[in-house]
Amino acid sequence: MRVDRLWTNGRVASLREGLGVLRRAGAGALAARDGRIAWVGPLAEAPDLDPAETIDLDGRWVTPGLIDCHTHLVYAGDRAGEFEQRLEGASYAEIARAGGGIVSTVRATRAASEDALVAQSRARLDALMAEGVTTVEIKSGYGLDAESEVKMLRAARRLAREARVTVVTSFLGAHALPPEAGDDKEGYIDEVCLSQLPAVHGEGLADAVDGFCETIAFTPGQIRRLFEAARALGLPVKLHAEQLSNQGGAALAAEFGGLSADHLEYLDEAGVAAMAAAGTVAVLLPGAFYFLRDTQVPPIELLRRHGVAMAVATRLQSGLFPAHLVAAGHEHGRDPVPPDAGGSARRGHPQRCPGPRPRRGDRHAGGRQVVRSCHLGHRAAGGTLLPHGL
Ligand SMILES: [Zn+2]
């Protein structure tokens, strides 16, 4: 078979039934023709291939394009020191009072130009892409006023154009209360619904509307108003729900046909059942769990029993680093997993994820050719990437 390119000597992780992971170095090969995967499998079983070009992968991994379906990738500033402070015993509230936390990111993001936001965020996006991510969801939510939320989402759209990656955006004005709002949550939700959302939607910058339903954020009633505003504009919704307490947020998202409910550490069976009935995906974020040094694990067995599709994402944001996922996977009592929605893909529900639209064909012959390879071993040793859980 005449092919344009043949990669040999690799470790191929495929989702194709019966192929799975070829763990042995040197076993895997992949051939492409006309920009599509023509063949993939153990080299020993390859048909008679006639490649125009052969690339030796030197034992690197080849995986399907990974999907990171929950990130706060666009922001300015740096909160790297906070994790250390937390390990030393400082509470989130203490850090916030000292000028850290989300407010510090909001301040830096508001002050940054769109160009500066793109430049800073591009480095983070490049790091994800180098680890095999081909689709990434990016939220706003560090601007918390119309102008800054628009700026963040414009930056996200520019990243999609400038990097060869699919970006799906979520408007997250209801992320936190900005400092100037005092404690007027109702008034701020008015601003989100009547000013920020129309501004963002008017420029076609939001693919979905997101919120944070929690005692330290917004009530189910306030999120309901947001979701009604989103529905009036024809925008799908998703929600940060049940992260620190059970607010019934997942069921609320399901009521509005939500794409996903994310975090879910305190989700109860009624919420699980509602998600199952609505087809709302459970996005698990072990990195956040680890960063907050939480002890409550999401009800994974309940989600499985009710057949709720699950996805795993990095929740990359200003206070979190992908390396945390290595330990976080263990915190959830299973092998570390890569920053993707592969969990849902393996269960056959990738198309229901909030934004990820993987082409099924990517995963085997006939699929679009998207080949990125990496030395997982090296990266794991350096603490920046995760061993594959496949
Ligand atoms: Zn989030």
Side-chain angles (χ1 to χ4, degrees):
M1 183 190 345
R2 177 83 188 153
V3 295
D4 300 325
R5 197 169 291 153
L6 174 67
W7 288 266
T8 62
N9 194 20
R11 304 176 199 216
V12 179
S14 168
L15 300 183
R16 194 174 73 179
E17 194 104 11
L19 184 56
V21 180
L22 306 177
R23 290 181 183 277
R24 193 161 48 82
L30 185 143
R33 185 178 54 212
D34 299 331
R36 292 189 169 271
I37 296 169
W39 185 85
V40 59
L43 188 58
E45 297 171 15
D48 192 14
L49 297 171
D50 178 18
E53 180 188 11
T54 300
I55 296 168
D56 185 345
L57 289 169
D58 189 27
R60 289 179 174 85
W61 285 84
V62 177
T63 72
L66 304 179
I67 300 156
D68 196 342
C69 61
H70 184 130
T71 83
H72 304 252
L73 186 143
V74 170
Y75 62 86
D78 180 7
R79 288 167 58 193
E82 287 179 27
F83 189 66
E84 213 168 325
Q85 290 173 44
R86 286 191 64 81
L87 288 175
E88 286 166 357
S91 71
Y92 192 84
E94 286 167 343
I95 291 170
R97 273 199 298 277
I102 186 174
V103 173
S104 72
T105 304
V106 171
R107 204 182 304 118
T109 302
R110 285 177 172 178
S113 68
E114 187 183 314
D115 286 345
L117 271 183
V118 170
Q120 290 184 39
S121 305
R122 179 63 194 263
R124 292 185 281 269
L125 181 59
D126 285 346
L128 283 183
M129 291 169 68
E131 295 176 349
V133 170
T134 55
T135 299
V136 59
E137 184 254 17
I138 299 177
K139 304 177 191 297
S140 64
Y142 290 128
L144 308 184
D145 61 38
E147 184 187 349
S148 305
E149 290 289 301
V150 163
K151 179 175 67 181
M152 285 186 74
L153 293 173
R154 280 186 189 151
R157 290 283 197 234
R158 268 180 60 186
L159 286 167
R161 286 194 297 272
E162 294 175 13
R164 291 182 61 200
V165 65
T166 302
V167 171
V168 180
T169 57
S170 301
F171 165 63
L172 182 58
H175 188 195
L177 207 55
E180 66 272 14
D183 56 5
D184 184 11
K185 292 184 182 181
E186 289 291 335
Y188 179 66
I189 287 293
D190 279 344
E191 185 198 323
V192 169
C193 295
L194 300 175
S195 169
Q196 296 182 23
L197 181 55
V200 160
H201 182 65
E203 292 193 30
L205 293 172
D207 298 318
V209 172
D210 199 348
F212 186 15
C213 185
E214 190 51 71
T215 51
I216 61 167
F218 299 100
T219 65
Q222 289 156 353
I223 295 295
R224 177 179 291 280
R225 287 171 54 205
L226 172 69
F227 282 180
E228 283 167 351
R231 183 153 65 188
L233 296 174
L235 290 171
V237 300
K238 59 210 299 193
L239 190 61
H240 292 63
E242 272 72 275
Q243 181 186 5
L244 306 170
S245 62
N246 184 9
Q247 298 288 310
L252 177 61
E255 182 189 327
F256 282 80
L259 297 170
S260 72
D262 305 28
H263 286 288
L264 302 176
E265 277 80 356
Y266 289 83
L267 179 65
D268 63 10
E269 188 156 10
V272 174
M275 290 176 69
T280 299
V281 173
V283 175
L284 307 180
L285 305 166
F289 175 92
Y290 181 69
F291 179 71
L292 295 172
R293 307 188 76 191
D294 208 341
T295 52
Q296 176 92 10
V297 177
I300 291 169
E301 280 311 314
L302 262 182
L303 289 161
R304 283 200 181 116
R305 208 182 311 144
H306 283 261
V308 175
M310 285 182 269
V312 176
T314 61
R315 191 239 196 184
L316 194 160
Q317 47 103 297
S318 60
L320 178 75
F321 311 95
H324 294 164
L325 273 181
V326 176
H330 288 299
E331 295 270 2
H332 276 187
R334 58 176 184 270
D335 288 340
V337 287
D340 72 338
S344 66
R346 288 198 292 281
R347 289 166 183 82
H349 301 293
Q351 70 281 10
R352 281 159 46 188
C353 274
R357 297 287 185 272
R359 289 155 283 259
R360 297 187 70 81
D362 283 4
R363 292 175 170 75
H364 36 72
R368 190 168 65 90
Q369 170 206 324
V370 181
V371 175
R372 293 208 175 96
S373 63
C374 59
H375 274 302
L376 280 192
H378 292 180
R379 289 173 180 281
T384 59
L385 188 62
L386 322 164
H388 230 292
L390 290 170

